[in-house]
Amino acid sequence: MRKHRDGEAGLRERRLKRVLLPVAAAASAAGTIAVTGAPADNDDNADQLVEVVVSVGTRVRTRTAADTAVPVDVFNREQVESINSSDLVDVLNAIVPSFSVRREPISDGASFIRPTHLRGLDTHHTLVLVDGKRWHRAALMRLGGFGAHGPDVGSIPAIAIDSVEVLRDGAAAQYGSDAIAGVINFKLKTDASGWHLRTRLGGYTQGDGEEATLEGGIGLPLGDAGYLNVGVQASDSAPTSRSEPYDIAIAGSGITPLGATASQATVNGVTYYGPDAFTFSYSPSGDIVQALPGSDGIPDDLDTRFADNFRRIGGDRDFESPAQIWGQPDRRQANVVVNAALPLAAFELYGFATYATKDQTGGFFYRRPGVSQLLPVRLADGSIYDPRTSLYPSGFTPQFSGDVVDQAILGGVRGERANGFMFDFSASRGADEIRYRIANTMNPSMGPETPTRFRPGNLVNSEMAVNADFAWPWEIGLPSPVNVAFGMEYRDEIYRIEAGDRPSYEVGPFGRPDPFNFEITQAEVDADPDDDITAIECRIPRFESIGSLCPAGDPINNTLPIGSNGFPGYPPAFSSELHRDSQAVYVDLEGELTLRWLANVAVRYESFSDFGDVGIWKLASRYKATDNVNLRASLGTGFRAPTPGQLATTNVSTRIDPNGFPRAEGVFPSTHPAAALFGGQPLDPERSRSWTLGLATTPFERFTLTADLYRIRLDDRIVLSSQFAVGPDEAASLARLGVPGANDIAQVRFFTNDVQTETSGIDLVASWAFDSSLGSTTLNAAFNVNRTRILDRGRFVDAEAEHDVEKGVPATRGAITLVHGIGRFDLLLRARYYGEYKNALNASLETVQTFGREVMVDVELTRIWREKFALKAGVQNVFDNYPDRGEFEVCCGRIYRSDSVTPWQGTLIYLQASWSSG
């Protein structure tokens, strides 16, 4: 059991660990001798390093970063806790240069479970482990970019983490499918005593985004040598708005209301009739766009009530809440982690359980008056119903919410025999569920009967795994025993789409024109030959006109969208459950062939119930060229089957076209008839080939430098297709296929194996620790240069997608961090660098915007009292830097591209207080 010391000696010990642990992994990788345990009280220990034992990239339990054949970064609990955020995704984004995350407002579920990237590849190309065990995927299937289906890292609270290990190397042969870009392993705290309480308050200087977080952790003894560690986090984050008022000129796409009113009028050869008067809206070309009664109580674009309401929503710059908001969502979350182990006579029982719940709400696109969702209709009694009169006089902005529930439990038994044989049996289950809600919206096809709140449905992803792992030290006369690791795994995966409430997908009567048959058809005329009527007749009171249809501008002719607007619910036809199971066996050999040469060989065989069998392999080696220089390299293959979510996802949601009009986009499984209509085919697995080549050196005392080149090729990469436009013929085909809401779908996408890519780059990490009369200082610098090239693409991915994948994210990212301690004060300075990138408007590539480089500076000052209490004040992005404003694809109040890797929230200030048992 560790005991903390009070006074200057204890403070020095704590600061020494905080200063040296960040450089320990890199320093030991270069061959520096490290010592374990707490340093003694004498000053000589300031020149020694704490040894960092790693558990990824190797299956040798005592292997340190000094000995691994592949690059592994280790971030200790102090580094994790130094980032002011209740979202672990933001923590990783700040401390891991090759890791990135985007803030994606108005992006359906991706606004709540944000997609991440390691080495530029998608979320599902990084394997996430918790204490060395595979973490389950989230329920969200991201439907932006190339599409991604990975874990929700944000469901793990930072207070429960002891360290984070990042393996920057392909490791599918060692750990299984998904470990193509690398592996992130979260090691949970194992303290058997002590407690820690921390509270944080923060907010942005623009006056929003206030966040309050309360975290607590406690370690308790379990038996004589076991532990029970509990971490709890609760936070409340207010939304932000980095928006400008919705530009009504953009919203109208050049449509200018003209004040022509009359009881009847003829425009472009079409006669419009009205009981009192009509107000007409014309396009710039002179074509009529809309004819709405003006003096019968229905507001129009010239009515002062519209202008007043629009300003109330936020159309005026003096208002704080624009009609459409771009920023982070409103979020409340609670997380609990319990980690325990109990040694018994011949083995140890162990396990952990996690539970996280998040309630998040964000906005969708603003529906301005005049769009199809707000058109008037004729009711059964012939009267006019106009939602702008009784429901949304100035349009509406749907509010989209998601209740995310993530839970996992794992239990196991492990032990070691006298001959060094080790065994580890475990079973786990993890599940993630998103329960969608949408409010301040409507199902237009239901007319006046529409609710304004809906439950569009749920997404559920659950996984179960059983593992048996073994290791045995094989003595064959080499400098050290060969570690023979082998094992097997059984996995069961289920992805489920649950139908929403009926009103969210109901096809109301106004989903087609003239639902009450106000027009006498020719068939009716022919059925009564004695009638004097000889042509089609309109039978609306005060609109009768023998021998003609109802007036072309009459609401009877309007067809309204179907489903809860913004996110139509999942109808029973879209609900589904996909089940998969798989088995795997592996063998992993690692040993020192000479005193300087370490070699590792791993092979893995996997069998999937829906994709057959596959075998993959990996070779890795480390050679000590000198006592201060290590050379390392790896070569291997990988395999990733399509996730159940990629195979099953069916989704219809609203996108905004370049002219500001809402359009429905349908995403269908590749085997769905709607996808087959555009050439969709069954998916195949992805296959990868990768290599790394690295150098780690200590050119002088307490300075380390590592550099690792890498290249990852992905064949048959699974991506979302570009959009296929749905014309009248395609819409008719979709309707014949029974696709719900076929008449409203403007474009279709589906997953496809249409791309071969190559991702290459270099990771550079340098660390320097030194003392002076002014205190102890450590300086860390980490940079990642990464590029992805599309080697080949088929007809389902267009030139715009290719351009944005290759050039749409910064090729260079980095961070330089200085931590200086003097007396009872610690000062942290961090500079984060984001390189330039480019974005294309469309597939012609004629319009391309270049976004410049950005540097953001963070400052943090900590005051410590007697090792028990610390007060921290900090500012992130001190100089309030933002990425360049977007020149296109930023309509509707958006200022910055919301998919920008460069943060665009501005300056954050925070205050943190922490107490511990000492």
Side-chain angles (χ1 to χ4, degrees):
M1 185 180 305
R2 181 182 301 158
K3 295 182 179 180
H4 292 284
R5 307 186 189 120
D6 290 331
E8 292 297 330
L11 179 64
R12 179 177 178 81
E13 176 181 325
R14 176 175 173 176
R15 174 165 294 127
L16 184 63
K17 290 182 180 180
R18 184 164 55 249
V19 169
L20 294 182
L21 278 173
V23 303
S28 56
T32 303
I33 301 299
V35 296
T36 57
D41 289 335
N42 62 70
D43 292 346
D44 293 340
N45 290 297
D47 293 330
Q48 296 179 333
L49 292 175
V50 179
E51 199 167 49
V52 180
V53 177
V54 296
S55 54
V56 293
T58 177
R59 280 193 162 88
V60 179
R61 290 196 310 168
T62 58
R63 185 78 69 200
T64 69
D67 297 322
T68 56
V70 289
V72 180
D73 297 326
V74 182
F75 302 93
N76 59 53
R77 67 173 69 177
E78 285 83 4
Q79 291 173 283
V80 172
E81 295 172 0
S82 72
I83 306 301
N84 182 72
S85 177
S86 60
D87 192 339
L88 189 59
V89 170
D90 289 323
V91 174
L92 296 178
N93 191 43
I95 64 177
V96 183
S98 56
F99 181 94
S100 64
V101 64
R102 309 181 190 197
R103 171 70 60 190
E104 296 200 3
I106 314 184
S107 188
D108 299 337
S111 300
F112 309 142
I113 300 177
R114 296 155 62 194
T116 63
H117 307 269
L118 185 68
R119 285 182 163 179
L121 295 179
D122 292 314
T123 304
H124 51 234
H125 291 127
T126 300
L127 179 63
V128 174
L129 307 175
V130 174
D131 272 349
K133 305 297 182 179
R134 178 185 285 266
W135 188 250
H136 58 277
R137 298 186 187 94
L140 174 70
M141 180 67 250
R142 186 203 178 209
L143 300 178
F146 267 179
H149 190 197
D152 179 13
V153 174
S155 62
I156 306 172
I159 191 70
I161 295 174
D162 187 63
S163 64
V164 179
E165 300 173 328
V166 181
L167 168 61
R168 295 179 279 109
D169 190 47
Q174 293 172 295
Y175 302 106
S177 179
D178 300 348
I180 292 175
V183 178
I184 299 177
N185 182 39
F186 297 98
K187 300 185 72 172
L188 301 178
K189 290 181 178 178
T190 60
D191 300 339
S193 65
W195 55 266
H196 188 192
L197 183 66
R198 183 168 64 238
T199 182
R200 292 196 302 266
L201 297 173
Y204 290 94
T205 54
Q206 291 206 18
D208 58 12
E210 299 87 355
E211 180 177 274
T213 302
L214 181 63
E215 299 171 297
I218 187 170
L220 301 170
L222 194 62
D224 293 333
Y227 62 85
L228 175 68
N229 196 278
V230 181
V232 180
Q233 179 193 76
S235 66
D236 190 338
S237 302
T240 62
S241 175
R242 300 298 173 264
S243 319
E244 60 186 5
Y246 194 107
D247 190 332
I248 190 62
I250 295 176
S253 302
I255 297 173
T256 305
L258 304 179
T261 60
S263 58
Q264 76 176 55
T266 300
V267 180
N268 297 332
V270 179
T271 301
Y272 292 83
Y273 302 85
D276 296 303
F278 271 88
T279 296
F280 301 102
S281 295
Y282 301 90
S283 71
S285 63
D287 298 328
I288 193 158
V289 174
Q290 185 176 339
L292 292 179
S295 61
D296 59 356
I298 299 176
D300 55 61
D301 288 351
L302 298 180
D303 195 301
T304 58
R305 287 169 295 179
F306 163 71
D308 292 343
N309 248 298
F310 190 77
R311 283 195 295 272
R312 180 178 62 80
I313 289 181
D316 190 276
R317 292 181 182 273
D318 295 332
F319 285 77
E320 295 181 358
S321 299
Q324 185 167 308
I325 294 177
W326 299 90
Q328 71 181 26
D330 182 54
R331 174 170 57 90
R332 287 167 295 280
Q333 72 176 38
N335 311 63
V336 180
V337 175
V338 179
N339 188 33
L342 177 62
L344 299 176
F347 56 86
E348 179 182 63
L349 299 176
Y350 71 96
F352 64 78
T354 70
Y355 180 83
T357 177
K358 292 185 280 189
D359 180 3
Q360 303 171 103
T361 298
F364 268 175
F365 285 99
Y366 168 61
R367 273 68 171 163
R368 61 179 181 79
V371 296
S372 61
Q373 291 84 351
L374 292 169
L375 291 180
V377 292
R378 289 279 183 186
L379 302 181
D381 62 1
S383 63
I384 295 177
Y385 167 74
D386 192 308
R388 290 178 57 190
T389 300
S390 57
L391 196 58
Y392 299 120
S394 56
F396 64 100
T397 303
Q399 298 298 301
F400 189 57
S401 304
D403 294 324
V404 180
V405 178
D406 190 285
Q407 51 193 325
I409 187 168
L410 178 142
V413 56
R414 59 196 173 199
E416 181 176 356
R417 299 302 185 189
N419 63 353
F421 180 80
M422 292 176 288
F423 62 89
D424 184 346
F425 301 99
S426 65
S428 64
R429 183 184 185 277
D432 187 271
E433 179 178 2
I434 306 177
R435 304 165 183 168
Y436 286 127
R437 309 188 313 272
I438 190 168
N440 197 51
T441 187
M442 61 192 300
N443 181 340
S445 71
M446 295 178 68
E449 302 303 317
T450 180
T452 58
R453 293 176 177 270
F454 303 85
R455 287 191 172 272
N458 307 325
L459 301 177
V460 182
N461 186 86
S462 64
E463 301 176 27
M464 185 270 289
V466 178
N467 291 81
D469 300 289
F470 308 92
W472 174 55
W474 183 21
E475 292 280 3
I476 57 174
L478 295 176
S480 63
V482 174
N483 189 75
V484 180
F486 58 96
M488 58 198 71
E489 178 182 52
Y490 171 80
R491 294 179 61 207
D492 186 273
E493 305 171 69
I494 298 176
Y495 190 80
R496 188 165 65 249
I497 301 175
E498 299 178 345
D501 59 1
R502 182 175 180 81
S504 70
Y505 59 81
E506 182 174 350
V507 181
F510 304 103
R512 63 181 178 88
D514 193 16
F516 305 112
N517 195 27
F518 282 126
E519 295 179 342
I520 297 177
T521 66
Q522 189 63 51
E524 292 176 290
V525 173
D526 295 339
D528 188 1
D530 296 331
D531 199 306
D532 295 334
I533 301 175
T534 58
I536 296 175
E537 179 184 355
C538 177
R539 299 187 299 182
I540 300 174
R542 301 178 63 188
F543 277 78
E544 296 91 343
S545 178
I546 302 301
S548 68
L549 295 172
C550 294
D554 190 85
I556 192 177
N557 298 299
N558 291 330
T559 302
L560 304 188
I562 298 167
S564 48
N565 197 251
F567 194 90
Y570 298 117
F574 283 5
S575 62
S576 64
E577 179 174 297
L578 192 148
H579 175 271
R580 166 201 287 165
D581 61 76
S582 61
Q583 302 84 38
V585 294
Y586 72 88
V587 176
D588 190 337
L589 306 178
E590 183 175 324
E592 294 179 342
L593 303 182
T594 70
L595 292 175
R596 292 184 175 273
W597 186 13
L598 173 72
N600 171 243
V601 180
V603 294
R604 188 180 188 93
Y605 170 82
E606 294 200 38
S607 177
F608 290 81
S609 60
D610 51 357
F611 283 101
D613 305 339
V614 64
I616 51 180
W617 54 268
K618 178 180 178 179
L619 303 174
S621 183
R622 183 226 65 217
Y623 181 73
K624 291 185 177 181
T626 70
D627 290 342
N628 294 325
V629 176
N630 279 352
L631 303 176
R632 56 196 181 196
S634 68
L635 177 67
T637 62
F639 170 91
R640 194 186 73 82
T643 69
Q646 289 174 321
L647 294 171
T649 289
T650 304
N651 178 278
V652 176
S653 57
T654 302
R655 300 289 184 262
I656 297 295
D657 69 15
N659 294 321
F661 286 98
R663 296 287 185 263
E665 177 182 279
V667 177
F668 298 95
S670 63
T671 54
H672 191 280
L677 186 65
F678 297 95
Q681 298 178 351
L683 292 177
D684 291 323
E686 295 177 340
R687 294 181 179 271
S688 69
R689 288 172 287 168
S690 63
W691 58 260
T692 62
L693 181 63
L695 165 73
T697 180
T698 305
F700 54 87
E701 188 177 35
R702 300 176 69 185
F703 178 84
T704 63
L705 174 66
T706 66
D708 293 278
L709 293 167
Y710 59 88
R711 179 167 294 174
I712 306 166
R713 174 174 172 137
L714 273 169
D715 294 326
D716 294 326
R717 182 169 174 177
I718 300 170
V719 299
L720 261 178
S721 71
S722 298
Q723 295 91 346
F724 288 89
V726 176
D729 293 341
E730 290 83 6
S733 298
L734 292 177
R736 286 194 298 270
L737 292 169
V739 176
N743 292 332
D744 298 324
I745 297 175
Q747 55 195 33
V748 165
R749 304 179 76 187
F750 50 88
F751 282 98
T752 175
N753 298 97
D754 204 36
V755 169
Q756 282 75 46
T757 65
E758 183 179 82
T759 299
S760 58
I762 182 171
D763 290 316
L764 297 170
V765 179
S767 300
W768 183 29
F770 59 91
D771 293 329
S772 69
S773 59
L774 298 178
S776 301
T777 305
T778 181
L779 184 64
N780 297 324
F783 284 85
N784 171 253
V785 180
N786 185 90
R787 285 194 179 278
T788 293
R789 292 191 306 124
I790 292 184
L791 304 177
D792 185 32
R793 62 178 173 87
R795 66 186 183 92
F796 299 130
V797 175
D798 62 20
E800 179 189 3
E802 178 179 5
H803 177 279
D804 292 347
V805 165
E806 293 185 342
K807 302 178 181 178
V809 296
T812 304
R813 283 197 57 207
I816 300 176
T817 304
L818 181 146
V819 179
H820 180 74
I822 181 170
R824 293 190 173 273
F825 289 91
D826 285 342
L827 174 67
L828 180 146
L829 296 174
R830 180 188 297 113
R832 293 174 283 148
Y833 174 83
Y834 302 86
E836 72 174 25
Y837 58 100
K838 299 179 180 181
N839 183 69
L841 173 62
N842 52 43
S844 71
L845 306 184
E846 294 177 355
T847 303
V848 175
Q849 181 181 357
T850 299
F851 295 82
R853 305 173 182 87
E854 295 293 340
V855 176
M856 299 185 180
V857 177
D858 308 329
V859 178
E860 182 180 273
L861 181 65
T862 304
R863 171 66 160 93
I864 304 170
W865 285 269
R866 297 184 61 82
E867 292 294 296
K868 297 178 181 293
F869 178 77
L871 187 64
K872 179 183 297 184
V875 181
Q876 293 179 7
N877 192 6
V878 172
F879 300 108
D880 201 27
N881 285 355
Y882 291 83
D884 295 340
R885 294 174 65 104
E887 296 175 357
F888 48 81
E889 295 181 350
V890 288
C891 80
C892 318
R894 177 165 41 178
I895 301 173
Y896 311 102
R897 289 191 57 83
S898 51
D899 59 358
S900 169
V901 172
T902 306
W904 46 274
Q905 297 294 296
T907 298
L908 174 74
I909 58 176
Y910 59 92
L911 185 67
Q912 173 181 298
S914 61
W915 299 263
S916 65
S917 57

